[in-house]
Amino acid sequence: MTQIYNFSAGPAVLPKEVLQQASNEMLDWHGSGMSVMEMSHRGKEFISIANEAEADLRELMNIPANYKVLFLQGGAHAQFSMIPMNLLRGKDTADYLDTGIWAQKAIEEAARYCKVNVVASGKDHQYFRVPQQSQWKLNPDAAYVHYTSNETIGGLEVFWTPQTGHVPLVVDMSSHILSRPVDVSQFGLIYAGAQKNIGPAGLTIVIVREDLIGQTIAGTPTMFDYKIHADNGSMYNTPPTYGIYMAGLVFKWLKAKGGLAAVEKLNIEKAALLYDYFDSSDFYNSPIAEENRSRMNVPFTLKDSALDAEFLKQAEANGLLQLKGHRLLGGMRASIYNAMPIEGVQALVAFMQDFARTRG
Ligand code: PMP
């Protein structure tokens, strides 16, 4: 097989070992004679797969017992509406931090259900920097405070945890969940689509403090009620069974690597290879403020954007795929999630050096 490195923002690269195991077990899972895809979600085989996936996630993230772990569908987009529907709990306003495109999508959707107070916006810094909490205007009557801890398109990451007192903190961790340890007890709710650091698209994970659920707004569809899913062990309806199985394999892979602290060390090393190179080069540039440089999604530009197409063409010829920046921002973006081996980042830097040498 040709060696390629896939820098897609998501769906994204998965660990080779996980894909290999899934391939080995494709036709016959553990002597059951069935593929996981063919199993009843209520059969003992699949129940054991789902239970083990949840237990491994709880162990990896050190999730306290008073938090529910939900395996849902609908992507992070469905969470943009489920959050106000479930967490307003009689209030009519919620706080949101505007860090860029994904935060704005969450804000737009929440505004259908409540008054949104934007506590601060990165707009004044062209979204190259996340406003410090000292600049936020929090509303003590807000039902919750929402932020996006990693802007996948903008390439901004928030490495500190906002302090919101008694107001529950809600976070979209779609693009950096499991890339470093986080203190779950600081959050009311954490959500993430699977297709970056967890597994294939189709699964959405929600981790929610149990006292926050069960008070949906009138008219909430049953499928959008966290309590329904929590009370039914995420099996109120047919869950995305294969996605849960794959996520479970990824969790085991992360545990075998030494857990999230070990994974974080590697992620720091990988990201530094790129950012250090940009800082030493006058051919490439990272526009992001140093304290917010994402370890997962690394946007960059070439000195001369007329060379973009040639850069992408040659990168692809060298097996370095999906480096084109998001259509809204242009430029380049290298997504280097947990499953991107350091060799992939080294190969990218070597290619960039070579390109700069011949075109610079
Ligand atoms: N939030 C963030 C930070 C994302 O990166 C994405 C997807 N790229 C979403 C939300 C939306 O996820 P989905 O497409 O699964 O609804």
Side-chain angles (χ1 to χ4, degrees), residues 133-152:
Q133 190 169 343
S134 56
Q135 298 161 344
W136 297 19
K137 294 201 168 51
L138 289 167
N139 172 6
D141 292 326
Y144 57 88
V145 180
H146 177 282
Y147 79 114
T148 311
S149 49
N150 189 67
E151 281 282 355
T152 322

Side-chain angles (χ1 to χ4, degrees), residues 1 3-8 10-20 22 178 194-201 242-243 245-251 253-254 335 337-341:
M1 212 165 82
Q3 173 64 64
I4 61 98
Y5 292 109
N6 171 11
F7 295 92
S8 166
V13 57
L14 285 167
K16 276 262 173 325
E17 298 90 326
V18 165
L19 292 174
Q20 189 59 58
L178 301 173
Q195 65 272 23
K196 297 144 195 326
N197 258 343
I198 297 174
Y242 201 75
Y245 158 74
M246 288 293 290
L249 296 186
V250 171
F251 301 155
W253 176 80
L254 288 167
S335 293
Y337 298 115
N338 288 343
M340 170 60 66

Side-chain angles (χ1 to χ4, degrees), residues 54-89:
E54 177 176 339
D56 285 336
L57 180 65
R58 282 185 178 276
E59 186 183 327
L60 276 169
M61 292 185 72
N62 196 16
I63 301 174
N66 63 325
Y67 283 71
K68 299 288 187 190
V69 172
L70 308 177
F71 293 132
L72 306 178
Q73 300 178 66
H77 274 91
Q79 293 312 306
F80 294 163
S81 15
M82 280 179 88
I83 287 159
M85 285 175 158
N86 285 265
L87 298 194
L88 280 170
R89 296 168 301 134

Side-chain angles (χ1 to χ4, degrees), residues 9-11 73-80 101-103 105-106 146 148-153 172-176 191-196 201-204 297 326 333 337:
Q73 300 178 66
H77 274 91
Q79 293 312 306
F80 294 163
I101 290 162
W102 287 112
K105 294 228 181 206
H146 177 282
T148 311
S149 49
N150 189 67
E151 281 282 355
T152 322
I153 298 174
D172 178 353
M173 273 193 197
S174 290
S175 47
H176 83 83
Y191 67 101
Q195 65 272 23
K196 297 144 195 326
L203 167 68
T204 311
N297 309 101
H326 191 274
R333 174 177 48 168
Y337 298 115

Side-chain angles (χ1 to χ4, degrees), residues 5-69:
Y5 292 109
N6 171 11
F7 295 92
S8 166
V13 57
L14 285 167
K16 276 262 173 325
E17 298 90 326
V18 165
L19 292 174
Q20 189 59 58
Q21 187 177 346
S23 165
N24 296 344
E25 295 176 347
M26 176 62 74
L27 298 182
D28 180 7
W29 182 81
H30 294 200
S32 64
M34 287 180 283
S35 170
V36 174
M37 275 184 261
E38 302 171 303
M39 290 174 182
S40 162
H41 58 297
R42 306 203 187 276
K44 66 177 188 321
E45 292 90 352
F46 186 74
I47 299 271
S48 76
I49 289 172
N51 286 347
E52 213 167 316
E54 177 176 339
D56 285 336
L57 180 65
R58 282 185 178 276
E59 186 183 327
L60 276 169
M61 292 185 72
N62 196 16
I63 301 174
N66 63 325
Y67 283 71
K68 299 288 187 190
V69 172

Side-chain angles (χ1 to χ4, degrees), residues 261-297:
V263 167
E264 177 180 38
K265 263 181 78 178
L266 199 55
N267 284 329
I268 291 173
E269 209 181 315
K270 281 161 28 186
L273 282 178
L274 283 171
Y275 290 114
D276 289 350
Y277 176 54
F278 298 150
D279 289 347
S280 72
S281 151
D282 51 17
F283 190 84
Y284 302 97
N285 180 50
S286 156
I288 309 300
E290 218 170 307
E291 79 254 29
N292 294 124
R293 287 174 161 184
S294 169
R295 291 181 193 147
M296 299 284 105
N297 309 101

